[in-house]
Amino acid sequence: METMQNVVIRFSGDSGDGMQLTGTQFSNTSALMGNDLSTFPDFPAEIRAPQGTVAGVSGFQVNFGSSEISTPGDEPDVLIAMNPAALKANVGQLKKGGTIIANMDAFTDLNFKKAGYESTPIDTHELDGFQIVKANITTQTVEALKDFDLDSKSKARCKNFYALGMTYFMFHRELDATMNWIGQKFGKKPILVEANVAALKAGWNFAETIEASIVRYEVKAAEIGKGTYRQVNGNTATAWGFIQAAQKANLELFLGSYPITPASDILHELSKHKNFGVKTVQCEDEIAGICSAIGASYGGALAITTTSGPGIALKGEAMGLAMIYELPIVIVNIQRGGPSTGLPTKTEQSDLLQCMYGRNGESPMIVVAASKPSDCFEMAFEASRLSLEHMTPVVLLTDGYIANGSEPWKIPDLSKEFTKITPRLVDRLGVEAEGYQPYARNEHLARTWAIPGMEGFEHRIGGLEKAKDSGNVSYDPANHEEMCHIRQQKVDLAAENIPLQEVEGEESGDLLVISWGGTYGATHAAVKKAQEEGLKVSLMHLKYISPMPKNVESIIGNFKKVLVPELNLGQLVNILNAKFHCKAKGYNKVQGLPFKISELVEAIKTELK
Amino acid sequence: MSEMPTYKKKDFVSDQEVRWCPGCGDYAILSAVQLAMTKIGRKREDIAFVSGIGCSSRFPYYMNTYGMHTIHGRAPAFATGLKTHNPNLSVWVITGDGDGMSIGGNHLIHAIRRNVNMNVILFNNEIYGLTKGQYSPTSQMGLVTKSTPFGALDRPFTPGSLALGAGSTFFARTIDTDPKHMQEVFLAAEQHQGTSFIEVFQNCVIFNDKVHDAYTNRLTRDDHTVRVEHGKPMIFGKEKNKGLVLEGFTPKVVTIGENGVTEEDIIVHNEKDINNANMLCRLEGEGVPAPLGIIRQVEAPVYDAQVEAQINEVTEKKGAGDMAKLLHAGDTWEVK
């Protein structure tokens, strides 16, 4: 038995093999056993890609440990390969000396060819240095279920639970949570409950009988802050953050959306919660998604729209309209690999500049970004708060990596946190109907919000330039210039209403790493590691990008060098250099994959050489 | 709740100067709508006009109600969001043949398909006005415009047929030269539960003048239009002696009193009958009249009402949502 601080395990198979489910079960069990963890589901865009091919491989990686876990891990310690393609796709990333559990039933001539192997890679030099655990997972599952009144295909389908059972033995996991889950999932078909539980136990027993040939690990519970925890992924946390915001603003939540990967899960989640008064409209297209939301916003809703990839391009014109209307709306963009259709199921950070500037005319808006799955709750709440209090559209950026990834989340005490949003509705502010000026403003240049149904506040809004205060159509040149300035200043002034920027590490030093969005886990861990090695490096992770916290410039000034790692070809780095002339350098990667901690540590060291 | 005020037309006139070309058909439609608003039994603050882009889409600025001038073609989507959020509002979409039939065709058919309880008025002048005179998706083939100097080659849409194809529950057609008829149609539209789609034959004096002349000209209009009313025979003509009969599936114009044709032979308008509505929208040919009036009106589930009902139903079943409970639902664990 080996005690490990953390273990990275990757479940991998055909996209129909149930690997996402298996990985999720493993994560849930580990979370319940007190480990800190981070997950990374990685699957093809096709629902059932060609069986047995590398393109069809679906993976789920989980990093769990007894200390702080901030990413799903650079290199798996253990790979479960349900077929040769899964081996081929992943063996290059496996840690030296790592373990491969191979489903030998799928290692057939036909499958070798499909995966691009000449013949079996097992017992060849290709796998030198790895521990190979050979298991006839499919036939043993069918054998274990021989007394069940099920056809052999249905029996074979239980093989993912057999594999899961093996890993539960190897890592000392408890079976209860998964058995409960199976009971709930298949409750209507008792025979499937029994069969899957039997497969799970058979896998455990098999691993126990071959104990001599496999290493058994122990990963103790992590020491983390007191409280009640749950697992959450980014999309769920985003959806919940908006419900919380609507409740605290005392407004109805309205979502206008069009299904698109990987944003659709927010639509799914919000559609469940009708008893919170949430209205969701699945629209005819991306444009109607945002337009219906703007309509609802004019009507007094906390209105949001969700999208990804090319969807954000389609929404551009309506975003500009919401900007000149000065109505509250949150546009959620779950960034994915681009351009165009790009890599729908992969992650990237390449929409920042489009969200900042991608509209006709001078069209500033607030842009915020969530840093990790659980942070999506906070940033959805924050995006709503800023939108409602400053009467402006807000873009909330997340990405495929944190949207689908999950982690333990200390459930916030809602009586103390996320408690207050003050919408600028005329009845709540006590604005008089007599002589109402829809575009009169407060000290932050935010206008007031009068909605249909309110007597005496009837007014018209439009996409044509408006006269200051009255909002009537105006083509006056000087007025147009003034209005452009006002709308920009309004966004800038939101900086008065956001927290000051924090720095991880010393307030000054040789190198400041500036990151934003879903790369936080990796940049946080890399900077920490570099600090432990004695380097004078600190991390500034930006969650508020437009406007930035007021102290960002002075922080940057305290460091000799600035490094900006991004999953794009350099977007924030350009904004920083344009704004602060800080000669920041980019460290960039666009592979549809998140950063590895090791590559960032390397980049930091290179920068400080 | 304050009492329902008695309104005069001027109560619906905004303080903005109307800027359509002198002689534009839009003036008459604006006036008819303002008059209709005094009769629909809704408070001014509960009425919202939503438009896209184009000459007709300036409309909301001139109405002293709530209003949104939005972006090109998307008004039905904005209106769907507004009405779904607040089903109590009386929502009116103002669009034109370019805005509604071309760039916004998708949103229009989906609003109609969902049967959102709102009214859509399509100003059909068969031309692009605000962009200065290009042919539109309802222009007749061969029309010579700036962008079709040798004649338009596209086949035009028939707005009524498009709406019926999308499952329209209310389709009516009226004409900008008949204020009384317009008001009647607008009132009926407001009373209808669901998307009421109204095509108004509207004249553009600058770029497509007299396009509807046959239907508006005193000398020709009675012989070129037929006023349809539910339960009444389709009789028309200066002498009120022409009518429509079916020959197989094909409508044909006959003269009552000739060849043994009597009033009993004339088709009786049935607004519930989809075949009748389809036939009316597709009337064409020499001497065949254009129908005006409510061509189709049927009851069907209304989207925004159903959204509301589903929320109430689920809330009744599950109880009002509790955020703390939601966050603690499912697997949780305690760290001590």
Side-chain angles (χ1 to χ4, degrees), chain A residues 153-232:
Chain A
K153 218 175 163 185
S154 301
K155 287 177 186 168
R157 208 172 285 148
C158 299
K159 67 179 180 292
N160 57 333
F161 281 103
Y162 187 96
L164 185 64
M166 288 181 68
T167 62
Y168 276 12
F169 174 80
M170 286 175 70
F171 297 102
H172 279 274
R173 308 286 92 182
E174 290 159 8
L175 299 179
D176 304 12
T178 293
M179 278 161 48
N180 285 342
W181 182 87
I182 292 171
Q184 277 166 20
K185 173 82 181 171
F186 302 107
K188 283 180 186 153
K189 290 183 181 164
I191 188 163
L192 289 182
V193 176
E194 287 174 36
N196 282 306
V197 168
L200 181 73
K201 287 183 173 167
W204 172 287
N205 294 337
F206 170 72
E208 194 170 18
T209 56
I210 59 161
E211 190 174 357
S213 62
I214 57 174
V215 187
R216 221 178 159 197
Y217 301 94
E218 175 153 23
V219 181
K220 296 210 169 94
E223 284 186 17
I224 43 180
K226 282 180 195 170
T228 307
Y229 284 76
R230 66 167 302 127
Q231 268 219 89
V232 75

Side-chain angles (χ1 to χ4, degrees), chain A residues 277-497:
Chain A
V278 179
K279 286 179 178 167
T280 54
V281 178
Q282 182 179 316
C283 292
E284 57 271 22
D285 59 26
E286 294 281 355
I287 297 170
I290 183 167
C291 291
S292 64
I294 296 171
S297 169
Y298 184 63
L302 167 55
I304 63 170
T305 187
T306 48
T307 193
S308 185
I312 196 69
L314 286 164
K315 293 188 196 295
E317 185 191 12
M319 287 164 74
L321 181 73
M323 193 283 312
I324 197 170
Y325 275 170
E326 302 188 51
L327 276 175
I329 177 177
V330 180
I331 301 106
V332 189
N333 181 10
I334 318 301
Q335 297 169 93
R336 71 186 208 190
S340 190
T341 308
L343 303 167
T345 58
K346 308 296 176 190
T347 199
E348 214 162 278
Q349 295 186 299
S350 45
D351 296 346
L352 178 62
L353 292 181
Q354 170 155 25
C355 291
M356 292 282 291
Y357 309 116
R359 290 168 290 281
N360 61 307
E362 296 294 343
S363 184
M365 57 184 66
I366 296 178
V367 179
V368 300
S371 61
K372 51 186 193 158
S374 63
D375 188 47
C376 292
F377 182 88
E378 176 173 335
M379 293 320 284
F381 186 89
E382 278 293 274
S384 308
R385 182 180 70 84
L386 292 171
S387 184
L388 292 165
E389 294 182 352
H390 295 268
M391 293 294 283
T392 169
V394 174
V395 178
L396 168 59
L397 291 169
T398 76
D399 59 52
Y401 169 64
I402 60 173
N404 288 323
S406 61
E407 62 177 355
W409 179 38
K410 186 174 161 185
I411 301 172
D413 179 352
L414 296 180
S415 66
K416 297 193 181 115
E417 294 173 80
F418 308 107
T419 52
K420 203 175 162 204
I421 292 179
T422 316
R424 297 190 45 73
L425 284 163
V426 288
D427 55 348
R428 299 194 198 173
L429 296 174
V431 177
E432 294 283 330
E434 183 68 33
Y436 177 58
Q437 301 261 56
Y439 287 81
R441 297 159 195 281
N442 70 357
E443 73 280 12
H444 289 145
L445 301 180
R447 73 179 191 96
T448 58
W449 194 14
I451 61 173
M454 291 178 170
E455 189 182 349
F457 290 95
E458 294 86 354
H459 66 283
R460 278 65 57 191
I461 59 175
L464 292 166
E465 184 57 282
K466 295 165 191 11
K468 199 183 161 188
D469 299 336
S470 74
N472 287 328
V473 176
S474 167
Y475 297 104
D476 179 66
N479 175 77
H480 173 54
E481 185 162 350
E482 188 178 4
M483 290 301 282
C484 286
H485 281 298
I486 286 175
R487 290 185 290 255
Q488 178 66 55
Q489 281 163 13
K490 182 180 69 168
V491 169
D492 296 342
L493 282 168
E496 306 284 340
N497 199 13

